[in-house]
Amino acid sequence: MAFLEVNNLNKYYPITDSERFHALKDVQLSFEKGELVSIIGESGSGKSTLMNLLGGLDSQFDGEILVDGENIGQFKEKEMVAFHKEKIGFIFQSFNLVPHLSILDNVTLAMTLSNIDSKTRKARAKEVLEQLGLKDHYQKKPNQLSGGQKQRVAIARALVNDPDIIIADEPTGALDSQTSDQVLDIIQDIAKTGKLVIMVTHSERVASRSTRIVTIDDGKIINDEKRPPLQFHDNAFQIKEKQENKNLSFFAAIRMALLNMKEKLSRNILISLGGSIGIMSIILMLALGKGVNDYLTDTMNENVNPIISEARMTEETQSDTAAAASVETVPATAPAQPSGMGGGGGGIGGTLLADNPAAQMSKNIPFEEANIAELEAIPHVEKLELSYASFSMGSDTVVYEGENYAFMNFGTTSENMTDSNILYGEFPDQGEVLITEEMADGMAGNAEDMIGEDVEVKLSVNGHALTGTYTVSGIYTAGNAIGPAGSFDSVFMTMDTFADMNAANGLTVEPNVVYLYADEAGNSQDIKDAINGLGYAGSSTDTLAKTFTKMLDIFTYILAGVAGISLFVSAIMILTVLYISVVERTQEIGVIKAIGGRNKDIRRIFVSESFLIGLFSGLLGVAIAALLSTVGNVIVERIFGTTILHMTPIYALLGILASVIISVIAGVFPANKAAKLDPIEALRHD
Ligand code: ADP
Ligand code: MG
């Protein structure tokens, strides 16, 4: 049996659904190693069609093509890949060198696809290139060579895996007659080493140098002329030691992607920059969210006595108590409040609005004995402090020198207030009050001047109007308290003074805030949980902080989401650029397929490229974000004395990860398109 046998080969090209073109008709041929076969014939006679079938670039045919007894029409992808890697070498009319790879890399490409180690790869490629007289050109790019040199590189590439068959479709078609002759000498030499060389040519002169001339016309072999055989020569192009063929490694794919990206450097820098903007904004948004949150937490901790927890009545606890004490009479002063008047809402320092001020204001509910007993029984509570706080919409006033000054917040002092809350003067004693700075300013022009002055305080407590005259002992400030704190005009007095005020007006004082003192700060959270568990409301500061943090989180996520849109845009950008890249590299994809690249390898090369773009934009995004937050923090710190952009390594990592994932996903579509290209069409593409 001949080395290469073609039996009854018919090729049809589908034209329409019902029509097909009969390109090869009952072709019957057999070839042996060492032959140099010229296929000649008119243009359109079917020469290229035959070559593509023999080379396994097209597996759609009727009949048999037997190489070493195996029908290549029946090959699975794996066998076809091995066939391309080991048995076949292609030489094309238009050279089809990969423009962004060096001469050496063009020749090692086939071995790279087989994952042969780089030392062997280079040594082997250099050996073949040297034999072809290209010793001085290893690092040049294809466009730095002449036509004849390019074709010699292509021949080196075809020979480097020591194939049995060389398929050359018009190898001299693009060369002048002198270089043609040189190339032909080489091709003749190749056949002399015992390889089967089949080439298509138009030139009689070229054909005359072969051992056999097969003439094809309209898809039929019309002549098969045997000529004197070549003198067998040494095994010049043979591989001494064959390595096992493996598949393209990830590293090699990354390296190939890098080489291509280097070629299109400015384009890739621009894409990475575009992609980095999205990553940068997301990281900055998250850093800002964290910064503000950290600031809030710090400020809270500064202004809160960690020993003290706060409890307030809620409607729930009130009805529970009422049910438990159903026999007892409901106090005469029970919540018959004028709507919108009076109500809870004071807090630590008594000036914070809770998450729902309207609801809060209707909940100025006094504690009952049972409530106080229940709170006292909470483990780790050392003592209770009964207090009163109310919030009014302008019905409470201070009268000074005949002028009315409305204020919103009234509260009794507690140990929860610290010296930092006293701007001037001191804490109030019996018969004394604290007023806020702005009120005092309004009264005396200079807040400090109000100390020692007498003022009349008018309060609305559960529908009763209370009045009393008190001496201003100090000026209150909310200090660093959060949010609207400090912005409300407030009046504070001791619980005893407030009790006297009630008594003077014929009422008994009804505490509506209880401060619970923990035995140690570590137990405060348990106490707070217990307070909530029993159905009482906690400190409005806590509630506010929680609500604020929650709002801040939502806000951060919305901002990050908006920033995420730019990620989407960059994904589309990467998609587009890679599609363009696939089109630009169509020939290269054809070459890779012809020399034994699997679809998977091609996909891998393109996905590697998108992976690298993702990685670079991620790194760039993190770098820019780090730079901007450093600069931003320096500026903010100078103005506000605190930093506000808190970037963490997790955010950086997340940003890079997101960038890589998004671009790899975007890269999959073009990579698939590349992998699915038909090698024949791809090779013809220019
Ligand atoms: P040659 O290489 O001898 O010039 P080809 O083998 O390229 O000729 O083409 C042989 C015939 O098959 C031509 O008539 C050509 O139009 C037709 N042909 C080649 N490729 C296709 C194709 N993909 N679809 C349809 N017809 C084709
Ligand atoms: Mg042709």
Side-chain angles (χ1 to χ4, degrees), residues 144-163:
Q144 294 172 307
L145 298 181
S146 71
Q149 286 171 324
K150 280 188 209 169
Q151 196 57 301
R152 278 186 277 153
V153 175
I155 292 171
R157 179 180 62 195
L159 286 174
V160 80
N161 270 349
D162 190 22

Side-chain angles (χ1 to χ4, degrees), residues 7-24:
N7 291 327
N8 265 322
L9 181 65
N10 281 283
K11 170 70 191 176
Y12 301 92
Y13 285 115
I15 307 290
T16 61
D17 282 348
S18 54
E19 264 182 287
R20 51 187 196 166
F21 178 75
H22 200 173
L24 288 179

Side-chain angles (χ1 to χ4, degrees), residues 173-241:
L175 305 174
D176 59 61
S177 60
Q178 202 189 336
T179 23
S180 271
D181 279 344
Q182 290 169 5
V183 167
L184 217 65
D185 285 341
I186 296 168
I187 289 176
Q188 224 171 19
D189 281 346
I190 296 169
K192 280 182 191 164
T193 65
K195 294 187 195 301
L196 167 58
V197 181
I198 305 174
M199 69 175 166
V200 168
T201 182
H202 276 307
S203 151
E204 282 294 330
R205 206 167 48 85
V206 170
S208 69
R209 293 183 60 176
S210 47
T211 65
R212 184 169 163 189
I213 303 173
V214 175
T215 313
I216 184 166
D217 183 39
D218 194 20
K220 280 198 276 269
I221 308 295
I222 54 165
N223 194 27
D224 191 347
E225 180 197 350
K226 296 253 158 84
R227 300 162 55 84
L230 294 169
Q231 206 63 43
F232 185 74
H233 191 278
D234 63 344
N235 284 345
F237 299 111
Q238 233 153 37
I239 296 182
K240 279 127 216 156
E241 262 174 73

Side-chain angles (χ1 to χ4, degrees), residues 77-96:
E77 194 200 8
K78 205 175 159 195
E79 296 161 311
M80 189 54 92
V81 162
F83 177 68
H84 282 146
K85 279 181 177 169
E86 294 159 17
K87 293 260 164 76
I88 289 274
F90 286 97
I91 302 170
F92 308 97
Q93 176 177 358
S94 50
F95 324 124
N96 281 347

